[in-house]
Amino acid sequence: MNAMTPLPQLRSLVTGTPPHRMTQAQIQAAAGQFFPRLASRSSLQGVFGNARIEERALSRPLDWFRQPHSFAEKNAAFVEEARALTGRLAAQAIREAGLTPADIDAVVLVNTTGISTPSLDAWLIGELGLSPQAARLPLWGLGCAGGAAGLARAADLVRAGHRAVLYVAVELCSLTFVPQDETPSNWVGLALFADGAAAAVITAPDLVAAPPRLALHGARSTLIPDSGDIMGWDVVDGGLKVRFSRSIPALVQQLMAGNVADTLAAAGWTRDDLRFWAVHPGGAKVLDAYAEVLDLTPDDLWASWEVLRRHGNMSSVTVLFVLERLLASGVRGRGLLSAMGPGFSAEQVLIEAL
């Protein structure tokens, strides 16, 4: 972790979802129609209710998922919807940062739920009129940890000399649905995952722009050895098949206390310095595990619980929704942004709300 000064500054952060909002009850009813045998298993009957999600956004209406779709069709839908979302949000983030597209000299783009080559950042450069010389850093495969990792890499680009970095994350988890997958992992995924995107602008501190909302102090990445089977995709004919093979809440309990302590110590911070927590809500059990191992109260995690309730788990994007809610509430002072994801990995970012 590098705590160099002057500090990169976040000038804007905006979020958005696709137009099709569904209640958890609607999605559960559809899931029961897709997989009646899974719905009848007593061990799985409480999954939707225990998720503590009320509604979520999907890229397509429920009737679309009732029809068979090839991997190619799903991915085409991903590219179409991802472009619509990221184009709108990125343009808004640049405006709210008090900049023009010509001011952006680097683009970081995070996603894990669809494939595009050229990557989506190339399309954004042309669509928004960014400089064709803008540096491009597409990050694929980080899953739920990607929101934190992408923010850290955007800050690293500013430290390396870039003046204004556009950071975009987009995940359309619903489009990875595989109707042939009658596994408990798929059932859990149906109960948790949703679609969304976020865009932000991170700049050098002396750039003439909108007032800064956040300073980025440093970050720490941790990869657990021999843990690739814990979470990820298995690529099958029907698309990207979700994989969970171990208890992620248990890993939070095993890893997070020491990881957070090491992150703070490397920066010369202590727990007493932290005024807020931006934690990726991977699920209700994950948040409960964070609370237990880090001795956090419901008030400490209110934004994570609210985003989970209203939006579900949008993979990498979710922690950026949490951060947006915290900034909108007027938090000030030092905080920690935390997420875990495939690898299996943990990402911690030290931040300061201004």
Side-chain angles (χ1 to χ4, degrees), residues 96-114:
E96 292 191 8
L99 301 175
T100 69
D103 295 318
I104 302 298
D105 59 5
V107 183
V108 176
L109 193 139
V110 167
N111 84 280
T112 303
T113 49

Side-chain angles (χ1 to χ4, degrees), residues 1 3 217-218 262-269 334 350:
M1 183 174 62
H217 283 261
D262 291 345
T263 301
L264 295 174
W269 290 19
R334 291 178 172 181
L350 296 173

Side-chain angles (χ1 to χ4, degrees), residues 270-337:
T270 69
R271 275 287 300 265
D272 290 340
D273 292 322
L274 298 181
R275 295 293 176 264
F276 65 96
W277 298 78
V279 173
H280 167 67
K285 290 183 178 179
V286 171
L287 286 180
D288 286 340
Y290 263 97
E292 180 179 350
V293 75
L294 294 173
D295 193 26
L296 301 176
T297 69
D299 286 344
D300 292 324
L301 296 176
W302 71 266
S304 298
W305 283 113
E306 180 177 308
V307 170
L308 181 66
R309 178 176 60 83
R310 296 184 57 205
H311 298 286
N313 182 345
M314 299 168 286
S315 190
S316 67
V317 176
T318 326
V319 77
L320 300 174
F321 272 65
V322 174
L323 180 59
E324 183 192 44
R325 287 295 301 118
L326 287 163
L327 293 175
S329 76
V331 294
R332 293 292 184 272
R334 291 178 172 181
L336 179 74
L337 185 142

Side-chain angles (χ1 to χ4, degrees), residues 141-146 148-149 220-225 227-228 230-231 248 251-252 255-256 259 280 290 338-348:
L142 295 172
C144 295
R220 185 182 186 90
S221 301
T222 303
L223 182 67
I224 303 172
S227 61
I230 294 172
M231 185 180 188
I248 295 171
L251 283 169
V252 172
L255 174 70
M256 199 52 60
N259 199 256
H280 167 67
Y290 263 97
S338 179
M340 300 181 75
F344 199 75
S345 62
E347 298 284 343
Q348 318 290 351

Side-chain angles (χ1 to χ4, degrees), residues 17-345:
T17 60
H20 305 288
R21 292 201 68 81
M22 305 291 169
T23 66
Q24 183 79 331
Q26 287 175 305
I27 297 173
Q28 182 176 5
Q33 294 169 358
F34 292 135
F35 303 117
R37 286 188 295 179
L38 290 177
S40 67
R41 289 175 58 172
S42 59
S43 61
L44 298 177
Q45 287 176 356
V47 169
F48 278 82
N50 293 337
R52 295 177 65 175
I53 296 168
E54 293 181 4
E55 57 181 344
R56 292 178 269 164
L58 308 180
S59 295
R60 294 291 184 267
L62 276 177
D63 283 346
W64 187 88
F65 296 95
R66 302 182 197 279
Q67 307 301 318
H69 298 285
S70 67
F71 191 3
E73 289 173 318
K74 294 175 187 177
N75 200 69
F78 169 84
V79 173
E80 177 185 359
E81 188 62 38
R83 285 182 173 184
L85 265 177
T86 60
R88 172 172 61 85
L89 295 176
Q92 182 181 348
I94 293 170
R95 288 194 305 271
E96 292 191 8
L99 301 175
T100 69
D103 295 318
I104 302 298
D105 59 5
V107 183
V108 176
L109 193 139
V110 167
N111 84 280
T112 303
T113 49
I115 300 169
S116 177
T117 304
S119 49
L120 290 168
D121 48 282
W123 177 83
L124 279 172
I125 288 173
E127 179 70 10
L128 301 180
L130 275 58
S131 168
Q133 279 73 53
R136 295 166 51 202
L137 185 59
L139 301 174
W140 197 91
L142 295 172
C144 295
L151 186 63
R153 299 295 80 76
D156 286 342
L157 286 175
V158 172
R159 294 186 185 99
H162 290 280
R163 302 284 290 162
V165 179
L166 173 65
Y167 169 40
V168 178
V170 57
E171 303 290 5
L172 307 180
C173 304
S174 70
L175 296 177
T176 68
F177 172 60
V178 178
Q180 300 84 9
D181 177 16
E182 292 203 37
T183 64
S185 290
N186 198 27
W187 185 258
V188 172
L190 282 170
L192 288 177
F193 290 113
D195 301 350
V201 173
I202 296 93
T203 76
D206 61 338
L207 193 70
V208 177
R213 304 183 67 188
L214 196 76
L216 294 146
H217 283 261
R220 185 182 186 90
S221 301
T222 303
L223 182 67
I224 303 172
D226 302 317
S227 61
D229 63 319
I230 294 172
M231 185 180 188
W233 299 125
D234 292 320
V235 181
V236 299
D237 289 342
L240 302 173
K241 176 183 172 183
V242 69
R243 175 181 0 113
F244 303 116
S245 65
R246 293 191 222 168
S247 173
I248 295 171
L251 283 169
V252 172
Q253 292 178 324
Q254 294 168 17
L255 174 70
M256 199 52 60
N259 199 256
V260 167
D262 291 345
T263 301
L264 295 174
W269 290 19
T270 69
R271 275 287 300 265
D272 290 340
D273 292 322
L274 298 181
R275 295 293 176 264
F276 65 96
W277 298 78
V279 173
H280 167 67
K285 290 183 178 179
V286 171
L287 286 180
D288 286 340
Y290 263 97
E292 180 179 350
V293 75
L294 294 173
D295 193 26
L296 301 176
T297 69
D299 286 344
D300 292 324
L301 296 176
W302 71 266
S304 298
W305 283 113
E306 180 177 308
V307 170
L308 181 66
R309 178 176 60 83
R310 296 184 57 205
H311 298 286
N313 182 345
M314 299 168 286
S315 190
S316 67
V317 176
T318 326
V319 77
L320 300 174
F321 272 65
V322 174
L323 180 59
E324 183 192 44
R325 287 295 301 118
L326 287 163
L327 293 175
S329 76
V331 294
R332 293 292 184 272
R334 291 178 172 181
L336 179 74
L337 185 142
S338 179
M340 300 181 75
F344 199 75
S345 62

